[in-house]
Amino acid sequence: MGEDNFILGLIASLLQSKSKKQIKEDIKSMGDIKFPLVGTLSPKTKAQLKKDIASLDGTINLTGKVNSKGVVTSLQQATAQAQKQADLKPVEMSFSVKKDKLLNDIKLLAQQNSKLFKNSDMSIKYNSLLDNAEWQGIL
């Protein structure tokens, strides 16, 4: 008789562990279950929570690393795209230069940079520039 009880107890124990395992698997397969919890806190708990919140330091220190290669690559791509757009539609500019002002500016350049005339090549270039401005009819 004792042997039969032992076997029955063993079978019951095995079935119980199998049942627990099956229940756990069933719960996992159901996914997350959320239960709304509504309640009131005791005055002591409420006071302690307020005290804990007040003692928290509100400062956050963030440090981070910047992927400089990625930034450089992005900047190069943006520059290339902008250059393509600029090449598609050239910028039109119009300007006019008054001959007298141009001549005065060239002469002022010579006065302010007298060392230019110590070099013969620079003197020749200056005189050529001045002659071209006077005789080419710059408007």
Side-chain angles (χ1 to χ4, degrees), residues 115-128:
K115 291 182 181 179
L116 288 174
F117 297 103
K118 291 181 181 177
N119 182 329
S120 62
D121 287 337
M122 293 304 291
S123 295
I124 292 170
K125 287 180 183 180
Y126 169 78
N127 289 325
S128 172

Side-chain angles (χ1 to χ4, degrees), residues 7-26:
I7 292 174
L8 287 175
L10 181 62
I11 292 172
S13 176
L14 290 173
L15 289 175
Q16 183 182 10
S17 67
K18 189 175 179 183
S19 294
K20 285 183 183 179
K21 184 178 178 184
Q22 186 62 44
I23 290 171
K24 287 181 182 179
E25 287 177 5
D26 289 345

Side-chain angles (χ1 to χ4, degrees), residues 22 30 35 43 49 60 66 101-102 108 111 113 115 121:
Q22 186 62 44
M30 290 173 66
F35 296 99
L49 284 174
I60 298 173
V66 175
K101 179 163 178 6
L102 177 62
L108 181 63
Q111 290 173 357
N113 300 289
K115 291 182 181 179
D121 287 337

Side-chain angles (χ1 to χ4, degrees), residues 49-66:
L49 284 174
K50 284 183 181 180
K51 187 178 175 183
D52 290 345
I53 290 172
S55 70
L56 292 176
D57 186 7
T59 305
I60 298 173
N61 293 325
L62 296 176
T63 57
K65 293 182 180 179
V66 175

Side-chain angles (χ1 to χ4, degrees), residues 29-47:
S29 69
M30 290 173 66
D32 291 337
I33 300 173
K34 297 182 181 181
F35 296 99
L37 179 63
V38 179
T40 56
L41 298 174
S42 71
K44 287 183 179 181
T45 306
K46 199 182 253 187

Side-chain angles (χ1 to χ4, degrees), residues 77-133:
Q77 289 174 349
T79 304
Q81 290 173 358
Q83 186 63 50
K84 283 181 186 177
Q85 290 300 315
D87 290 343
L88 290 175
K89 184 170 181 169
V91 177
E92 296 178 16
M93 293 178 52
S94 62
F95 62 94
S96 61
V97 178
K98 292 188 178 182
K99 183 177 178 179
D100 292 336
K101 179 163 178 6
L102 177 62
L103 290 172
N104 288 335
D105 288 346
I106 294 171
K107 290 175 184 176
L108 181 63
L109 175 74
Q111 290 173 357
Q112 292 176 347
N113 300 289
S114 60
K115 291 182 181 179
L116 288 174
F117 297 103
K118 291 181 181 177
N119 182 329
S120 62
D121 287 337
M122 293 304 291
S123 295
I124 292 170
K125 287 180 183 180
Y126 169 78
N127 289 325
S128 172
L129 181 64
L130 190 59
D131 289 343
N132 285 338

